[in-house]
Amino acid sequence: MAKTEQSGGKTLANGRKKFYVTTPIYYVNDKPHIGHAYTSTATDVLARWHRLLGDDTFLLTGTDENTLKLVEKAKKEGVEPREIADRYAERFEASAKVMEISYDRFIRTTDEAKHHPGAQEIWKRIESAGHIYKGTYEGLYCVDCEAYYTEKDLTDGKCPIHSTPPQKLKEENYFFKLSAFGDQVKEAIDSGKYEVVPETRRNEILSVIAGGLKDVSCSRPADKLTMGVPVPGDDTQRMYVWFEALTNYLNGIGFGWDEKRFARYWPADIHVIGKEISRFHAAIWPAMLLAAELPLPKKLYVHGFFTMEGEKMSKSKGNVVDPFELVEKHGVDPVRYYLLRALPYAEDGDFSERRFKEMYDSELANDLGNLASRVLTLVEKKCDGKVPEGKADPKLKEHVAQTHHELANLLDAPKFAEALERLNGLVSLANRFIEENKVYQQEGDDLNGSLYTLAQTLGHLALLYQPFIPGKAGELQQRLGLKPDGWDADSLLEWEKVPAGTKVAKGEPLFPK
Ligand code: MSP
């Protein structure tokens, strides 16, 4: 397969492709839950996949801290906002570690050296291009969303997401001329220059734009929003949190403090977000970049939401699932696997303990785990633990090549649940190969050919599952004597992964029941 099909596009001076992927930056007024863990895991799969292809990859994640809700929470608790921000930022970073998110940088928007300068620079560029003006904002604000609303956005007078009444505001603000960018943003999305997926989300945002984009407030009075990025040249105002938070995607890779690195990675190859923040990312963000004359990101992937056993997750219902507890109970790989499998493309998904158990037993323990232990046991018993020299089965070999091709396309979409299904398909095929050929009864050339073929197939699986379940895939690689990194798009595709003569180790079951 052509490399360009799989990789990020821009070629760097050293000939490698680059790939830059981001998560949203999370609010620090509450603990992380599986919704956040899902987004970060999905993002991580893309980063790990591109590293496997040999791309120069950068994964950015972090926390969004300059919010009114944090200021209000701090007031209630009688502490400094920074104290709460530190507490939760630490939790979010710890949860990224627990979920084995391979981030290259964890950005915090309270970072005055590496976030504020970039945010202010964007403000200055947009202002000097004539797209910021002063006015009076009179309207509604939902503190939980940190978003402005109009009456018609509300459901029974309440925020459609949080079901709480919004605040009524009348204050001096600066405004960003979003209305001037509707046509350009529409054109970028329509033409695929800024690709928004899935299509349902793309259509949704195009219809919002067709309805006309209004100018948006882009600052708050400093006496209300006591933390945040000062508006350049006006001490009485702070940048509206979303207006500066979005710039994290630039600042996180060096905008305002490491221009060389910024030039290497920008534009982002893909932003991964949940559906509730698509307007910010598909309308305001590209407009800001156009106004500041910066290149647009290439793609926005908007995923659905998790419910918990069929119900909306909420603190008041007490059904918020803590990723730390889940990983403690099941181990990180099964949790990553389940989250990725449970959220279908373009839809919402449900977290259910029963489904978790079923999926673990059937797909991980019975299918993948069993395949590994059958192949390794046979090599140990019948060939002294060494992969025999033999003739590859052409059908299985062809299927392996096909899996690479399809996986690349599915992750390009990106369709995570379907990508795993595809890999599971190869596992089933290999298990069937063992049954149909009764490999455990074979002898001589037949046996050698079968085991050689199965060892290669298992080698490919150990690499291809790596982005999803890096721990278990790594264990399998070790047993097969395979290196986890140093691959590129071409070498990854090569058929022979575990050469004849390689000593393999059977080990304990990968997924114990
Ligand atoms: N701080 C903003 C984002 C700014 S990005 C410049 C924010 N933060 S958040 O803490 O509320 O995180 C929102 C994101 O968390 C969602 O977009 C989604 O990625 C993830 N999820 C939160 N709840 C979720 C579910 N129930 N299900 C799946 N993902 C969810 O918004």
Side-chain angles (χ1 to χ4, degrees), residues 23-30 33-40 63-65 67 69 92 144-146 162 241-242 244-249 272-278 280-281 303-307 312-313 343 348-349:
T23 74
I25 46 173
Y26 305 109
Y27 289 134
V28 285
N29 56 306
D30 214 338
H33 58 63
I34 55 157
H36 308 119
Y38 173 78
T39 312
S40 295
T63 42
D64 185 358
E65 311 191 5
T67 59
K69 59 182 148 190
F92 271 97
D144 286 320
C145 295
E146 299 287 354
H162 295 95
V241 60
W242 270 100
E244 48 97 349
L246 286 162
T247 71
N248 93 87
Y249 299 133
V272 180
I273 62 163
K275 63 181 181 182
E276 88 289 20
I277 55 176
S278 65
F280 291 100
H281 285 80
H303 66 70
F305 258 42
F306 265 104
T307 50
K312 191 175 165 182
M313 273 193 284
L343 202 82
D348 291 335

Side-chain angles (χ1 to χ4, degrees), residues 317-381:
K317 284 203 181 94
N319 63 354
V320 179
V321 189
D322 178 348
F324 294 99
E325 281 172 26
L326 213 55
V327 167
E328 173 81 36
K329 194 164 152 197
H330 302 284
V332 61
D333 287 297
V335 173
R336 286 173 62 109
Y337 183 91
Y338 179 74
L339 291 178
L340 293 163
R341 275 289 276 126
L343 202 82
Y345 185 68
E347 285 170 48
D348 291 335
D350 186 46
F351 184 92
S352 135
E353 278 282 344
R354 186 181 55 82
R355 280 294 296 141
F356 189 119
K357 175 118 196 24
E358 280 170 8
M359 221 177 246
Y360 180 90
D361 285 348
S362 71
E363 296 177 9
L364 292 176
N366 292 350
D367 293 347
L368 178 57
N370 206 17
L371 175 69
S373 89
R374 285 165 103 183
V375 174
L376 295 170
T377 307
L378 282 168
V379 174
E380 187 178 84
K381 274 203 189 140

Side-chain angles (χ1 to χ4, degrees), residues 397-407 422:
K397 185 176 169 183
E398 172 55 30
H399 208 84
V400 166
Q402 191 62 25
T403 303
H404 276 268
H405 184 72
E406 287 177 26
L407 186 71
R422 185 65 196 80

Side-chain angles (χ1 to χ4, degrees), residues 263-314:
R264 176 160 140 206
Y265 290 111
W266 191 256
D269 290 273
I270 182 164
H271 294 308
V272 180
I273 62 163
K275 63 181 181 182
E276 88 289 20
I277 55 176
S278 65
R279 282 189 196 193
F280 291 100
H281 285 80
I284 300 179
W285 179 226
M288 285 171 69
L289 290 166
L290 288 164
E293 294 181 18
L294 282 168
L296 296 181
K298 293 195 188 131
K299 198 185 248 193
L300 176 69
Y301 169 59
V302 185
H303 66 70
F305 258 42
F306 265 104
T307 50
M308 176 66 197
E309 309 281 355
E311 287 199 62
K312 191 175 165 182
M313 273 193 284
S314 81

